[in-house]
Amino acid sequence: QVQLVESGGGLVQAGGSLTLSCAASGRLFNIRAMAWYRQAPGKQRDWVAHITREGTTNYLDSVKDRFTISRDNPWNTVYLRMDSLKPDDTAVYYCAALDYGAPDYNYWGQGTQVTVSS
């Protein structure tokens, strides 16, 4: 019922910036929140940031002063602006959506690779 497609990943030097986009389609009226997760090679998938239907945001502590999650109302596109990138930000970044009544994020995009060099 919800389809998510990420874009905007790429290769960037440490200290640089990159903005990811997540295009959402389908039955968006039942979405409670959307989030960005990331997964580095050999690591578990970690939560990075989310935005609720009411517009409140939260961030992983290590990215809180560098990343910004935002959206086009209500859910057509969700963004993750990443500034002051570090090599340990390198990961596949995934967009996710949470339905009202679902116990965990239940829709996922295919992922987009972010590689930070130096």
Side-chain angles (χ1 to χ4, degrees):
Q1 293 187 323
V2 175
Q3 299 81 42
L4 306 173
V5 179
E6 303 97 332
S7 61
L11 176 64
V12 64
Q13 294 286 327
S17 298
L18 202 61
T19 298
L20 308 181
S21 297
C22 174
S25 60
R27 298 183 182 271
L28 307 183
F29 62 88
N30 203 42
I31 297 297
R32 176 185 178 90
M34 293 187 67
W36 288 95
Y37 283 71
R38 67 187 183 186
Q39 187 169 29
K43 306 292 185 180
Q44 70 175 20
R45 187 173 297 184
D46 292 327
W47 172 85
V48 175
H50 72 231
I51 183 165
T52 70
R53 194 165 196 89
E54 297 74 32
T56 59
T57 60
N58 283 283
Y59 299 90
L60 179 68
D61 283 346
S62 62
V63 310
K64 189 170 185 176
D65 296 322
R66 301 185 294 118
F67 291 11
T68 303
I69 187 169
S70 62
R71 70 182 187 192
D72 291 341
N73 291 323
W75 297 115
N76 302 71
T77 309
V78 177
Y79 305 93
L80 185 69
R81 190 185 75 206
M82 305 182 291
D83 297 319
S84 301
L85 282 162
K86 305 173 181 179
D88 61 0
D89 294 319
T90 295
V92 177
Y93 283 71
Y94 296 91
C95 180
L98 174 66
D99 274 342
Y100 286 99
D104 205 349
Y105 282 88
N106 56 317
Y107 298 103
W108 295 86
Q110 83 288 350
T112 186
Q113 176 71 48
V114 173
T115 303
V116 184
S117 64
S118 129

